Amino acid sequence: MPTSPTPYRGFPLRRPTRPPFLLPADPESAELYGPVFGQTDVSALDSDLTRHHSGSGTPIGERITVTGRLLDNRGRPIPHQLLELWQANAAGRYAHQGDQHDAPLDPHFTGAGRTLTDADGRWTFTTIKPGPYPLGTPDHAWRAAHLHFSLFGRAFTQRLVTQMYFEGDPLLAHDSVLHAAPDAEARHRLTATYTPTPPLPDHPASLTYHWNIVLGGPSPTVAPA
């Protein structure tokens, strides 16, 4: 039997350290402080992280397609909603100056993308399967492979963030962030299922994982952190 993972130490660091910021009279001014990927419209290329990079090279790693639906607490699709994704590369390193892991960067992989759900709440990303990486803690803990998802409602102030994991990963039993979810069923809802499917039109072959995101209700997709 696997031993219980070390409790996640990140929660104290996520608490506010400053007093609330007083917004001007116009509530929509909060949008000015929201995270954005750019000023252009969302295009089909934004959801394929294997293609929207500089240069003519190809990202290194296992090509995967992750698809699913965004649903409300009654199982109804939520259409036309913005989803953002970010992740480590195949070596387990983020293209971010704050990541000091000594794994190599991939010059052909930015690790970030976005898409809009369709009228049926469906969304799809094509990317490279991320690698695990060490937390740098005294117990030498590692994070399981995962994708970060950001979901927006009608405004940036309604942003929700969660993580998706991959079934069969041996590190799932030891990932302290995943085990911050309250119970085994909640952790299961954070895990994508491999689904054999034909390759998408005009896309190189990739392994497909299915993962629905449910907002609220008795079986929500729980955000572990």
Side-chain angles (χ1 to χ4, degrees):
M1 295 292 291
T3 58
S4 299
T6 302
Y8 180 46
R9 300 187 181 93
F11 287 127
L13 302 179
R14 294 169 184 261
R15 296 171 183 166
T17 58
R18 299 181 181 181
F21 179 76
L22 181 63
L23 292 174
D26 180 9
E28 293 186 0
S29 63
E31 302 294 323
L32 300 176
Y33 302 95
V36 295
F37 269 61
Q39 301 299 322
T40 59
D41 292 337
V42 178
S43 70
L45 189 62
D46 291 338
S47 63
D48 189 342
L49 282 67
T50 67
R51 294 194 295 163
H52 67 78
H53 52 77
S54 60
S56 57
T58 301
I60 298 172
E62 178 183 330
R63 189 185 302 268
I64 63 172
T65 295
V66 182
T67 185
R69 298 176 71 200
L70 179 61
L71 307 169
D72 68 11
N73 58 356
R74 296 184 180 180
R76 297 173 299 194
I78 304 177
H80 316 306
Q81 297 300 297
L82 176 63
L83 273 69
E84 294 174 345
L85 177 150
W86 66 96
Q87 64 170 99
N89 64 19
R93 185 171 177 182
Y94 293 91
H96 189 279
Q97 61 185 7
D99 189 345
Q100 299 301 310
H101 181 22
D102 59 0
L105 289 169
D106 187 340
H108 305 298
F109 188 70
T110 62
R114 61 181 183 171
T115 192
L116 293 172
T117 59
D118 64 14
D120 198 34
R122 191 167 301 281
W123 53 269
T124 298
F125 284 101
T126 296
T127 185
I128 297 298
K129 189 173 183 180
Y133 57 83
L135 282 173
T137 54
D139 56 355
H140 307 293
W142 282 66
R143 290 297 321 274
H146 60 278
L147 303 176
H148 299 264
F149 281 83
S150 168
L151 302 93
F152 291 95
R154 300 300 181 184
F156 285 116
T157 51
Q158 297 175 339
R159 187 184 192 213
L160 298 174
V161 177
T162 190
Q163 298 179 17
M164 187 209 85
Y165 299 82
F166 298 86
E167 69 170 354
D169 187 337
L171 289 177
L172 292 180
H174 308 282
D175 190 292
S176 60
V177 179
L178 174 62
H179 283 262
D183 53 57
E185 186 58 35
R187 294 190 289 272
H188 177 72
R189 293 195 294 269
L190 289 167
T191 306
T193 303
Y194 169 65
T195 308
T197 59
L200 296 174
D202 302 321
H203 282 66
S206 63
L207 296 177
T208 299
Y209 289 86
H210 184 81
W211 186 58
N212 287 337
I213 303 173
V214 180
L215 302 181
S219 300
T221 305
V222 177

